[in-house]
Amino acid sequence: MTLNNDKVQGVKVINIFEENAEAIEKMVNKVILEINQQGKAILEIQTTGDNMFFFIGEGEATTVRG
C-alpha cells in the first residue's frame, strides 16, 4: 500500500467474484460517483480475485495511485 501521509477515513469494498467485465465496470462507476458526491477522495484502489477495495480520504482527488 502506498498511502504514505494520506489519512484514510474509510474503506469501500465491492465483491467482484463471478462478475463479468460489464458488471464490474458498472459497480466501480457507481462507487466512484457515490464517493465524489460525498466530497471525498479515492486515495487508492486495490484488488484481489474476489474484491475491490477503495481507500477513501479527505478532499476531492482527481487521480488514483496504485
Side-chain angles (χ1 to χ4, degrees):
M1 188 183 298
T2 59
L3 295 175
N4 297 329
N5 296 324
D6 294 320
K7 183 176 179 184
V8 176
Q9 292 183 327
V11 177
K12 174 77 173 176
V13 181
I14 58 173
N15 185 298
I16 59 172
F17 185 69
E18 294 187 359
E19 297 291 347
N20 63 33
E22 184 178 346
I24 293 170
E25 287 176 10
K26 286 180 182 179
M27 290 188 291
V28 169
N29 287 333
K30 182 179 177 188
V31 169
I32 292 170
L33 181 62
E34 289 174 1
I35 292 169
N36 285 337
Q37 287 175 341
Q38 295 172 8
K40 303 294 181 183
I42 298 172
L43 303 175
E44 186 167 349
I45 299 173
Q46 294 188 9
T47 62
T48 65
D50 296 342
N51 298 298
M52 291 186 76
F53 299 85
F54 296 80
F55 294 87
I56 303 166
E58 297 175 342
E60 294 185 36
T62 56
T63 59
V64 177
R65 295 171 296 212

Coordinates of all heavy atoms in Angstrom, one line a residue:
M1 N 0.8 -1.2 0.0 CA 0.0 0.0 0.0 C 0.9 1.2 0.0 O 1.9 1.3 0.7 CB -0.9 0.0 1.2 CG -2.0 1.1 1.2 SD -3.0 1.1 2.7 CE -3.8 -0.4 2.6
T2 N 0.5 2.2 -0.8 CA 1.4 3.4 -0.9 C 0.7 4.7 -0.5 O 0.7 5.7 -1.2 CB 1.8 3.6 -2.4 OG1 0.6 3.7 -3.2 CG2 2.6 2.4 -2.9
L3 N 0.0 4.7 0.6 CA -0.8 5.8 1.1 C 0.1 6.9 1.8 O -0.3 8.0 1.9 CB -1.9 5.4 2.0 CG -2.9 4.5 1.4 CD1 -3.9 4.0 2.4 CD2 -3.7 5.2 0.3
N4 N 1.3 6.5 2.2 CA 2.3 7.4 2.8 C 1.6 8.3 3.9 O 1.3 7.8 4.9 CB 2.9 8.3 1.7 CG 3.8 7.5 0.7 OD1 4.3 6.5 1.1 ND2 3.8 7.9 -0.5
N5 N 1.5 9.6 3.6 CA 1.0 10.5 4.6 C -0.5 10.8 4.5 O -1.1 11.6 5.2 CB 1.7 11.9 4.6 CG 3.2 11.7 4.9 OD1 3.5 10.9 5.8 ND2 4.0 12.4 4.2
D6 N -1.2 10.1 3.6 CA -2.7 10.3 3.4 C -3.4 9.7 4.6 O -3.1 8.7 5.2 CB -3.2 9.7 2.2 CG -2.6 10.3 0.9 OD1 -2.5 11.5 0.9 OD2 -2.2 9.6 0.0
K7 N -4.5 10.4 5.0 CA -5.3 10.0 6.1 C -6.5 9.2 5.6 O -7.4 9.8 4.9 CB -5.8 11.2 6.9 CG -6.6 10.8 8.2 CD -6.9 12.0 9.0 CE -7.8 11.7 10.2 NZ -8.2 12.8 10.9
V8 N -6.6 7.9 5.8 CA -7.7 7.1 5.4 C -8.9 7.3 6.3 O -8.7 7.2 7.5 CB -7.3 5.6 5.3 CG1 -8.5 4.8 5.0 CG2 -6.2 5.4 4.4
Q9 N -10.0 7.7 5.7 CA -11.2 7.9 6.5 C -12.2 6.7 6.5 O -13.1 6.6 7.3 CB -12.0 9.2 6.1 CG -11.2 10.4 6.4 CD -12.0 11.6 5.9 OE1 -12.7 11.6 5.0 NE2 -11.8 12.7 6.7
G10 N -12.0 5.9 5.5 CA -12.9 4.7 5.3 C -12.5 3.8 4.2 O -11.6 4.2 3.4
V11 N -13.1 2.7 4.1 CA -12.8 1.7 3.0 C -14.2 1.3 2.5 O -15.1 1.0 3.2 CB -12.1 0.5 3.6 CG1 -11.9 -0.5 2.5 CG2 -10.7 1.0 4.1
K12 N -14.3 1.2 1.2 CA -15.5 0.7 0.5 C -15.0 -0.6 -0.2 O -14.0 -0.6 -0.9 CB -16.0 1.7 -0.5 CG -17.2 1.2 -1.4 CD -18.4 1.2 -0.6 CE -19.6 0.8 -1.5 NZ -20.8 0.7 -0.8
V13 N -15.7 -1.7 0.0 CA -15.4 -3.0 -0.6 C -16.5 -3.4 -1.5 O -17.7 -3.4 -1.0 CB -15.1 -4.0 0.5 CG1 -14.7 -5.3 -0.2 CG2 -14.0 -3.5 1.4
I14 N -16.2 -3.8 -2.7 CA -17.2 -4.5 -3.5 C -16.7 -5.9 -3.9 O -15.6 -6.1 -4.2 CB -17.6 -3.6 -4.8 CG1 -16.4 -3.4 -5.7 CG2 -18.3 -2.3 -4.4 CD1 -16.7 -2.7 -7.0
N15 N -17.7 -6.8 -3.9 CA -17.4 -8.2 -4.3 C -17.5 -8.3 -5.8 O -18.6 -8.0 -6.4 CB -18.3 -9.1 -3.6 CG -17.9 -10.6 -3.8 OD1 -18.0 -11.0 -4.9 ND2 -17.6 -11.2 -2.8
I16 N -16.4 -8.8 -6.5 CA -16.4 -8.9 -7.9 C -16.4 -10.4 -8.3 O -16.3 -10.7 -9.5 CB -15.3 -8.1 -8.6 CG1 -13.9 -8.6 -8.0 CG2 -15.5 -6.6 -8.4 CD1 -12.7 -8.0 -8.8
F17 N -16.5 -11.3 -7.4 CA -16.4 -12.7 -7.7 C -17.5 -13.1 -8.6 O -18.7 -12.8 -8.4 CB -16.5 -13.5 -6.4 CG -16.3 -15.0 -6.6 CD1 -15.1 -15.5 -6.9 CD2 -17.3 -15.8 -6.4 CE1 -14.9 -16.8 -7.1 CE2 -17.2 -17.2 -6.5 CZ -15.9 -17.7 -6.9
E18 N -17.2 -13.8 -9.7 CA -18.1 -14.3 -10.7 C -18.9 -13.3 -11.4 O -20.0 -13.5 -11.9 CB -19.1 -15.3 -10.0 CG -18.4 -16.6 -9.5 CD -19.4 -17.6 -9.0 OE1 -20.6 -17.4 -9.1 OE2 -18.9 -18.7 -8.6
E19 N -18.3 -12.0 -11.5 CA -19.0 -11.0 -12.2 C -18.2 -10.8 -13.6 O -17.0 -11.0 -13.6 CB -18.9 -9.6 -11.5 CG -19.7 -9.6 -10.2 CD -21.2 -9.7 -10.3 OE1 -21.7 -9.5 -11.4 OE2 -21.9 -10.0 -9.3
N20 N -19.0 -10.4 -14.6 CA -18.3 -10.2 -15.9 C -17.8 -8.7 -15.9 O -18.1 -7.9 -15.0 CB -19.2 -10.5 -17.1 CG -20.5 -9.6 -17.1 OD1 -20.4 -8.4 -16.7 ND2 -21.6 -10.1 -17.6
A21 N -17.0 -8.4 -16.9 CA -16.4 -7.1 -17.0 C -17.4 -6.0 -17.0 O -17.2 -4.9 -16.3 CB -15.5 -7.0 -18.3
E22 N -18.5 -6.1 -17.7 CA -19.5 -5.1 -17.8 C -20.1 -4.8 -16.4 O -20.3 -3.6 -16.0 CB -20.6 -5.5 -18.8 CG -21.6 -4.4 -19.0 CD -22.7 -4.8 -20.0 OE1 -22.5 -5.7 -20.7 OE2 -23.7 -4.1 -20.0
A23 N -20.4 -5.8 -15.7 CA -21.0 -5.7 -14.3 C -20.0 -5.0 -13.4 O -20.4 -4.1 -12.6 CB -21.4 -7.0 -13.8
I24 N -18.7 -5.4 -13.5 CA -17.7 -4.8 -12.6 C -17.5 -3.3 -13.0 O -17.5 -2.4 -12.1 CB -16.3 -5.5 -12.8 CG1 -16.5 -6.9 -12.2 CG2 -15.2 -4.7 -12.1 CD1 -15.3 -7.8 -12.6
E25 N -17.6 -2.9 -14.3 CA -17.5 -1.5 -14.7 C -18.6 -0.7 -14.1 O -18.4 0.4 -13.6 CB -17.5 -1.4 -16.2 CG -16.2 -1.8 -16.8 CD -16.3 -1.8 -18.4 OE1 -17.3 -1.3 -18.9 OE2 -15.4 -2.3 -19.0
K26 N -19.8 -1.3 -14.1 CA -21.0 -0.6 -13.6 C -20.8 -0.4 -12.1 O -21.1 0.7 -11.5 CB -22.3 -1.3 -13.9 CG -22.7 -1.2 -15.3 CD -24.0 -2.0 -15.6 CE -24.4 -1.9 -17.0 NZ -25.6 -2.7 -17.3
M27 N -20.4 -1.4 -11.4 CA -20.2 -1.3 -9.9 C -19.2 -0.3 -9.5 O -19.4 0.5 -8.6 CB -19.9 -2.7 -9.3 CG -21.0 -3.7 -9.3 SD -20.6 -5.2 -8.4 CE -19.4 -5.9 -9.4
V28 N -18.0 -0.3 -10.2 CA -16.9 0.6 -10.0 C -17.4 2.1 -10.3 O -17.1 3.0 -9.5 CB -15.7 0.3 -10.8 CG1 -14.6 1.4 -10.7 CG2 -15.1 -1.1 -10.3
N29 N -18.1 2.3 -11.4 CA -18.5 3.6 -11.7 C -19.5 4.1 -10.7 O -19.5 5.3 -10.3 CB -19.2 3.7 -13.1 CG -18.1 3.6 -14.2 OD1 -17.0 4.0 -14.0 ND2 -18.5 3.0 -15.3
K30 N -20.4 3.3 -10.2 CA -21.3 3.7 -9.1 C -20.6 4.1 -7.8 O -20.9 5.1 -7.2 CB -22.3 2.5 -8.8 CG -23.3 2.8 -7.8 CD -24.3 1.7 -7.6 CE -25.3 2.1 -6.5 NZ -26.1 0.9 -6.0
V31 N -19.6 3.3 -7.4 CA -18.8 3.6 -6.2 C -18.1 4.9 -6.4 O -18.1 5.8 -5.5 CB -17.8 2.5 -5.9 CG1 -16.8 2.9 -4.8 CG2 -18.5 1.2 -5.5
I32 N -17.5 5.2 -7.6 CA -16.8 6.4 -7.8 C -17.7 7.6 -7.7 O -17.4 8.6 -7.1 CB -16.0 6.4 -9.2 CG1 -14.9 5.4 -9.1 CG2 -15.5 7.8 -9.6 CD1 -14.3 5.1 -10.5
L33 N -18.9 7.5 -8.3 CA -19.9 8.5 -8.3 C -20.3 8.8 -6.8 O -20.4 10.0 -6.4 CB -21.1 8.2 -9.1 CG -22.2 9.2 -9.2 CD1 -21.7 10.5 -9.8 CD2 -23.4 8.6 -10.0
E34 N -20.6 7.8 -6.1 CA -21.0 7.9 -4.7 C -20.0 8.7 -3.9 O -20.3 9.5 -3.1 CB -21.3 6.6 -4.0 CG -22.6 5.9 -4.6 CD -22.8 4.5 -4.0 OE1 -21.9 4.0 -3.2 OE2 -23.8 3.9 -4.4
I35 N -18.7 8.3 -4.0 CA -17.6 8.9 -3.3 C -17.5 10.3 -3.7 O -17.3 11.2 -2.8 CB -16.3 8.1 -3.4 CG1 -16.5 6.7 -2.8 CG2 -15.1 8.8 -2.8 CD1 -15.4 5.7 -3.1
N36 N -17.5 10.6 -4.9 CA -17.4 12.0 -5.4 C -18.6 12.9 -4.9 O -18.4 14.0 -4.5 CB -17.4 12.1 -6.9 CG -16.0 11.6 -7.5 OD1 -15.0 11.7 -6.8 ND2 -16.0 11.2 -8.7
Q37 N -19.8 12.3 -4.9 CA -20.9 13.1 -4.4 C -20.8 13.4 -2.9 O -21.4 14.4 -2.4 CB -22.2 12.3 -4.6 CG -22.6 12.3 -6.1 CD -23.8 11.4 -6.3 OE1 -24.2 10.5 -5.6 NE2 -24.5 11.7 -7.5
Q38 N -20.1 12.6 -2.1 CA -19.8 12.8 -0.7 C -18.7 13.8 -0.5 O -18.4 14.2 0.6 CB -19.5 11.5 0.0 CG -20.6 10.5 0.0 CD -20.1 9.1 0.5 OE1 -19.0 9.0 1.0 NE2 -20.9 8.1 0.4
G39 N -18.0 14.3 -1.6 CA -16.9 15.2 -1.5 C -15.7 14.6 -0.9 O -14.8 15.2 -0.4
K40 N -15.5 13.3 -1.1 CA -14.4 12.5 -0.6 C -13.5 12.2 -1.8 O -13.8 12.3 -2.9 CB -14.8 11.2 0.1 CG -15.7 11.4 1.3 CD -15.1 12.2 2.4 CE -16.1 12.3 3.6 NZ -15.5 13.1 4.6
A41 N -12.3 11.7 -1.4 CA -11.3 11.3 -2.4 C -11.0 9.8 -2.3 O -11.0 9.3 -1.3 CB -10.0 12.1 -2.2
I42 N -10.8 9.2 -3.5 CA -10.3 7.8 -3.5 C -8.8 7.9 -3.5 O -8.1 8.4 -4.4 CB -10.8 7.1 -4.8 CG1 -12.3 7.0 -4.8 CG2 -10.2 5.7 -4.8 CD1 -12.9 6.5 -6.1
L43 N -8.2 7.5 -2.4 CA -6.7 7.5 -2.2 C -6.0 6.4 -3.0 O -4.9 6.6 -3.5 CB -6.4 7.5 -0.8 CG -7.0 8.5 0.1 CD1 -6.6 8.3 1.6 CD2 -6.5 9.9 -0.3
E44 N -6.7 5.2 -3.0 CA -6.1 4.1 -3.6 C -7.1 3.0 -3.9 O -8.1 3.0 -3.2 CB -5.0 3.5 -2.7 CG -4.2 2.4 -3.4 CD -2.9 2.0 -2.6 OE1 -2.5 2.7 -1.7 OE2 -2.4 1.0 -3.0
I45 N -6.9 2.2 -4.9 CA -7.8 1.1 -5.2 C -6.9 -0.2 -5.2 O -5.8 -0.2 -5.9 CB -8.5 1.2 -6.5 CG1 -9.4 2.4 -6.5 CG2 -9.3 0.0 -6.8 CD1 -10.0 2.8 -7.9
Q46 N -7.3 -1.2 -4.5 CA -6.6 -2.5 -4.5 C -7.6 -3.6 -4.9 O -8.8 -3.5 -4.5 CB -5.9 -2.8 -3.2 CG -4.8 -1.8 -2.9 CD -4.0 -2.2 -1.7 OE1 -4.2 -3.2 -1.1 NE2 -3.1 -1.3 -1.2
T47 N -7.1 -4.6 -5.5 CA -8.0 -5.7 -5.9 C -7.4 -7.1 -5.4 O -6.2 -7.2 -5.3 CB -8.2 -5.8 -7.4 OG1 -6.9 -6.0 -8.0 CG2 -8.8 -4.5 -7.9
T48 N -8.3 -8.0 -5.2 CA -8.0 -9.4 -5.0 C -8.8 -10.2 -6.1 O -9.5 -9.5 -6.9 CB -8.3 -9.9 -3.6 OG1 -9.7 -9.9 -3.5 CG2 -7.7 -9.1 -2.5
G49 N -8.7 -11.4 -6.1 CA -9.5 -12.2 -7.0 C -11.0 -12.1 -6.8 O -11.8 -12.2 -7.7
D50 N -11.4 -11.7 -5.6 CA -12.8 -11.7 -5.2 C -13.3 -10.2 -4.9 O -14.5 -10.0 -5.0 CB -13.1 -12.5 -3.9 CG -12.8 -13.9 -4.1 OD1 -12.8 -14.4 -5.2 OD2 -12.6 -14.6 -3.1
N51 N -12.5 -9.3 -4.5 CA -12.9 -8.0 -4.1 C -12.1 -6.8 -4.6 O -11.0 -7.0 -5.0 CB -12.8 -7.9 -2.5 CG -13.7 -8.9 -1.9 OD1 -14.9 -8.9 -2.0 ND2 -13.1 -9.9 -1.1
M52 N -12.7 -5.7 -4.6 CA -12.0 -4.4 -4.9 C -12.2 -3.5 -3.6 O -13.3 -3.4 -3.1 CB -12.6 -3.7 -6.1 CG -12.4 -4.4 -7.4 SD -12.9 -3.4 -8.8 CE -11.6 -2.2 -8.9
F53 N -11.1 -2.9 -3.2 CA -11.0 -2.1 -2.0 C -10.7 -0.7 -2.4 O -9.7 -0.4 -3.1 CB -9.9 -2.6 -1.1 CG -10.1 -4.0 -0.6 CD1 -9.6 -5.0 -1.3 CD2 -10.7 -4.2 0.6 CE1 -9.8 -6.3 -0.9 CE2 -10.9 -5.5 1.1 CZ -10.4 -6.6 0.3
F54 N -11.6 0.3 -2.1 CA -11.5 1.7 -2.3 C -11.1 2.4 -1.0 O -12.0 2.4 -0.1 CB -12.8 2.3 -2.9 CG -13.2 1.7 -4.2 CD1 -13.8 0.5 -4.3 CD2 -12.9 2.4 -5.4 CE1 -14.2 0.0 -5.5 CE2 -13.3 1.9 -6.6 CZ -13.9 0.7 -6.7
F55 N -9.9 2.9 -0.9 CA -9.5 3.6 0.3 C -9.9 5.1 0.2 O -9.5 5.7 -0.8 CB -8.0 3.4 0.5 CG -7.6 2.0 0.9 CD1 -7.4 1.1 -0.2 CD2 -7.6 1.5 2.2 CE1 -7.1 -0.2 0.1 CE2 -7.3 0.2 2.5 CZ -7.0 -0.7 1.4
I56 N -10.7 5.5 1.1 CA -11.3 6.9 1.0 C -10.7 7.8 2.0 O -10.5 7.5 3.1 CB -12.8 6.8 1.2 CG1 -13.4 5.8 0.3 CG2 -13.5 8.1 1.1 CD1 -14.8 5.3 0.6
G57 N -10.4 9.0 1.5 CA -9.8 10.1 2.4 C -10.5 11.4 2.2 O -11.5 11.5 1.6
E58 N -9.8 12.4 2.7 CA -10.3 13.8 2.6 C -10.1 14.4 1.3 O -9.2 14.0 0.5 CB -9.6 14.7 3.7 CG -9.9 14.2 5.1 CD -9.0 15.0 6.1 OE1 -8.1 15.7 5.7 OE2 -9.4 15.0 7.3
G59 N -10.9 15.4 0.9 CA -10.7 16.2 -0.3 C -11.3 15.5 -1.5 O -12.0 14.5 -1.4
E60 N -11.0 16.2 -2.6 CA -11.5 15.7 -3.9 C -10.4 15.4 -4.8 O -10.0 16.2 -5.6 CB -12.5 16.7 -4.5 CG -13.7 16.9 -3.7 CD -14.7 17.8 -4.4 OE1 -14.8 17.7 -5.6 OE2 -15.4 18.5 -3.7
A61 N -9.8 14.2 -4.7 CA -8.7 13.8 -5.6 C -9.2 13.6 -7.0 O -10.3 13.1 -7.2 CB -8.0 12.6 -5.0
T62 N -8.4 13.9 -8.0 CA -8.7 13.7 -9.4 C -7.9 12.5 -9.9 O -8.2 12.0 -11.0 CB -8.4 14.9 -10.2 OG1 -7.1 15.3 -10.0 CG2 -9.3 16.1 -9.8
T63 N -6.9 12.0 -9.2 CA -6.1 10.9 -9.7 C -6.1 9.8 -8.6 O -6.2 10.1 -7.4 CB -4.7 11.3 -10.0 OG1 -4.1 11.8 -8.8 CG2 -4.7 12.3 -11.1
V64 N -5.9 8.6 -9.0 CA -5.8 7.5 -8.1 C -4.5 6.9 -8.3 O -4.0 6.6 -9.4 CB -6.9 6.4 -8.4 CG1 -6.7 5.2 -7.5 CG2 -8.3 7.0 -8.2
R65 N -3.8 6.6 -7.2 CA -2.5 6.0 -7.2 C -2.7 4.5 -6.9 O -3.6 4.1 -6.2 CB -1.6 6.6 -6.1 CG -1.2 8.0 -6.4 CD -0.5 8.5 -5.2 NE -1.5 8.5 -4.1 CZ -1.5 9.3 -3.1 NH1 -0.6 10.3 -3.0 NH2 -2.4 9.2 -2.1
G66 N -1.8 3.7 -7.5 CA -1.9 2.3 -7.1 C -1.9 1.4 -8.2 O -2.0 1.5 -9.4

